[in-house]
Amino acid sequence: MSQSAVKASGVTDAPDAGRWKALVFIALAQLMVVLDATIVNIALPSAQQDLGISDGNRQWVVTAYALAFGGLLLFGGRIADLWGRKRTFVLGLAGFAVASALGGAATNEAMMFGSRALQGVFGALLAPAALSLLAVMFTDAKERAKAFGIYGAIAGGGGAVGLILGGFLTEYLNWRWTFFVNIPFAIVAAAGAYLVIREPGGGRNRSPLDIPGVILSTLGLVALVYGFTRAESNGWSDAVTVGMFVGSAVLLLAFVIVESRVKAPLLPLRVITERNRGGIYLSLGLAIIAMFGLFLFLTYYLQIVKGYTPVKTGFAFLPMIAGMITGSTQIGTRLMTRVAPRLLMGPGFLVAAVGMLFLTQLEVDTSYAGVLLPGMLLLGLGMGTAFMPAMSLATMGVEPRDAGVASAMVNTSQQVGGAIGTALLNTIAASATTSYIADHIGGASSRSQQQLVQLQGQVEGYTSAIWFAVGILVVAAAIALTLVNAGRPGGSAVTGSGTGDEAEDELRVPVVAH
């Protein structure tokens, strides 16, 4: 490639000397965002009691965050491209810290819900900026593999770490500390980022903001996430649930039409129509559907059926974290520059599916060492191996001006996948539980037998839903193996379906890497 082409790409041959220090602070910020998704769940019962939140309203502690975060991710990614990723990253951290302080100091439910929504707003700025900073700072194939290995391990395992930390803070301190703990994370990450990160020049997208695109995408994504959240509590046939899904489809279709016609779109369709990136977003979203549902069921199983404390439950997830870290930083990182990404993603999702198969054997008296331990270890190993190349490839070859919005699409597929996974698999589990109890409760004469039937019914629900999760992971593997046809980074050229400028984009990063 000519020097002029390298300059045109906005990527220089001289990598930033402080990139590895920057990775520490980017990883710290990512850990904070991922932790927050699960840490608050552990604290929810205590917070609900202290603040007098009704059972009907308690879901809004989770939903307010999910709606703001999921709805504004594309906007946040575009802002990162427009303002600069470092500036957006630091602003996101500062805002997240303030919102966390408000949540920890909440005196009523309105203050709690408002702080959670505010956390979601700043999280939507922070998450795409963090991923796109990695994308533009690490251009060498081997270094990129290591950087995304660390990032992928945190993105995958951070949720389980949140369960441990949330359990400790709730059990030994107070639920308010599940919010306050974000503040030192944010301060250290923001200060470090301000001093260390030097964003490569020439990567800004200074086109005017696509206001119709912002409105349509935000409303469409909010309606979609809320539809799935509401389906979990009110059922799939509820009029408002159906209305949300219909409204979301109309809004998102209008968004695609607008994006295909405006001069400076919020989401350039070239980002998602390229074969490899489309395959990544789809397979990653499906894998997250399976993962989120499983986190929920295993947490309930361990605490309600097995009687584990919150802290013991958190520690029970450690094999999954260990598997994710090993899969991401050892297997994925070492093989990413040697084999094509699909040969890591497809088998990775299949190994995770085998781990899920172990967990379909759960019973009320299942031994942890015999079923849960190998199941979670394989699940973590497979997901870690698959996530790392997925995160890297989703932003590889993207024009620097599109890095923020391409990163936002990774987060959007995860966020929407999480909402779908929680609602869909929870509905399947609840239906199977109700059916089992109705069929077996008549034969239980004593109170203890009735309680046993109810516990067995819950486990039956969990395993029924986990079978669906196994199928979803197999589909994710098939999509990754079929659609993702990129060559190994730094080796053969990416053979995506893009033409013209897009084909040039796909070659850009691997060539510059040398």
Side-chain angles (χ1 to χ4, degrees), residues 190-237:
Y194 184 77
L195 295 171
V196 170
I197 291 177
R198 185 171 61 84
E199 188 178 344
R204 294 272 190 95
N205 184 346
R206 300 182 188 275
S207 305
L209 197 60
D210 169 22
I211 300 299
V214 170
I215 294 169
L216 288 170
S217 68
T218 302
L219 291 178
L221 288 169
V222 164
L224 184 63
V225 173
Y226 183 59
F228 280 108
T229 305
R230 188 177 173 87
E232 185 188 349
S233 54
N234 294 68
W236 295 91
S237 59

Side-chain angles (χ1 to χ4, degrees), residues 125-484:
L125 284 177
L126 177 60
L131 186 55
S132 57
L133 275 170
L134 282 191
V136 298
M137 291 177 78
F138 289 89
T139 54
D140 176 79
K142 288 186 178 178
E143 287 194 348
R144 187 182 176 91
K146 288 179 185 175
F148 275 89
I150 294 166
Y151 186 89
I154 290 170
V161 176
L163 295 171
I164 299 174
L165 189 57
F168 263 110
L169 294 173
T170 305
E171 211 164 306
Y172 298 115
L173 290 172
N174 184 288
W175 65 265
R176 295 182 185 277
W177 283 95
T178 60
F179 286 89
F180 292 145
V181 75
N182 289 333
I183 299 170
F185 273 98
I187 290 172
V188 171
Y194 184 77
L195 295 171
V196 170
I197 291 177
R198 185 171 61 84
E199 188 178 344
R204 294 272 190 95
N205 184 346
R206 300 182 188 275
S207 305
L209 197 60
D210 169 22
I211 300 299
V214 170
I215 294 169
L216 288 170
S217 68
T218 302
L219 291 178
L221 288 169
V222 164
L224 184 63
V225 173
Y226 183 59
F228 280 108
T229 305
R230 188 177 173 87
E232 185 188 349
S233 54
N234 294 68
W236 295 91
S237 59
D238 173 71
V240 177
T241 302
V242 174
M244 285 292 161
F245 287 138
V246 172
S248 171
V250 171
L251 287 163
L252 292 176
L253 180 61
F255 171 67
V256 171
I257 293 168
V258 166
E259 297 308 275
S260 67
R261 295 184 178 181
V262 296
K263 187 180 288 186
L266 173 70
L267 174 62
L269 296 183
R270 61 180 176 267
V271 171
I272 55 172
T273 54
E274 196 280 315
R275 175 175 179 160
N276 289 284
R277 279 191 287 276
I280 294 284
Y281 298 145
L282 194 54
S283 60
L284 203 57
L286 286 169
I288 294 292
I289 289 174
M291 275 285 289
F292 263 65
L294 186 81
F295 269 140
L296 186 71
F297 300 139
L298 282 185
T299 303
Y300 279 129
Y301 174 79
L302 292 169
Q303 291 194 21
I304 295 172
V305 178
K306 304 295 279 185
Y308 285 20
T309 63
V311 172
K312 191 176 178 182
T313 300
F315 276 108
F317 277 99
L318 277 178
M320 192 185 294
I321 301 172
M324 281 184 176
I325 291 170
T326 304
S328 191
T329 62
Q330 299 304 312
I331 301 172
T333 300
R334 291 173 189 274
L335 294 180
M336 189 179 157
T337 54
R338 300 177 188 177
V339 301
R342 68 178 179 278
L343 299 180
L344 289 173
M345 291 178 63
F349 289 139
L350 289 175
V351 168
V354 172
M356 287 270 197
L357 273 176
F358 268 89
L359 300 173
T360 61
Q361 307 307 307
L362 288 179
E363 301 284 351
V364 172
D365 57 352
T366 294
S367 88
Y368 178 83
V371 174
L372 285 157
L373 178 62
M376 288 200 279
L377 200 56
L378 285 170
L379 184 67
L381 205 60
M383 286 296 199
T385 301
F387 273 17
M388 197 281 297
M391 294 276 188
S392 177
L393 189 61
T395 53
M396 183 177 283
V398 175
E399 291 183 42
R401 65 195 173 113
D402 294 334
V405 80
S407 302
M409 275 302 300
V410 176
N411 289 286
T412 301
S413 66
Q414 290 178 304
Q415 188 65 25
V416 173
I420 295 171
T422 305
L424 180 63
L425 296 181
N426 216 27
T427 304
I428 292 165
S431 175
T433 297
T434 303
S435 177
Y436 183 91
I437 292 173
D439 290 344
H440 294 81
I441 199 73
S445 52
S446 65
R447 183 174 177 80
S448 62
Q449 286 179 323
Q450 289 174 350
Q451 288 176 333
L452 182 60
V453 167
Q454 287 177 335
L455 284 178
Q456 286 172 332
Q458 286 190 32
V459 175
E460 181 71 20
Y462 303 152
T463 54
S464 297
I466 292 170
W467 272 111
F468 272 85
V470 170
I472 290 168
L473 280 175
V474 171
V475 173
I479 289 170
L481 288 167
T482 305
L483 288 184
V484 179

Side-chain angles (χ1 to χ4, degrees), residues 20-110:
W20 290 108
K21 291 179 185 175
L23 175 62
V24 173
F25 302 112
I26 293 169
L28 189 64
Q30 173 65 11
L31 180 62
M32 180 188 73
V33 172
V34 177
L35 281 177
D36 199 72
T38 51
I39 198 171
V40 173
N41 290 346
I42 296 283
L44 186 53
S46 304
Q48 181 185 354
Q49 191 175 358
D50 273 10
L51 300 178
I53 302 172
S54 68
D55 284 348
N57 283 344
R58 71 180 173 189
Q59 64 160 328
W60 283 100
V61 176
V62 175
T63 305
Y65 177 84
L67 291 181
F69 188 73
L72 291 169
L73 272 167
L74 283 177
F75 177 60
R78 177 68 179 85
I79 289 294
D81 289 333
L82 180 66
W83 288 354
R85 294 162 197 94
K86 175 179 174 178
R87 184 183 299 173
T88 306
F89 183 72
V90 172
L91 176 66
L93 282 165
F96 203 90
V98 171
S100 297
L102 289 173
T107 54
N108 54 52
E109 64 178 35

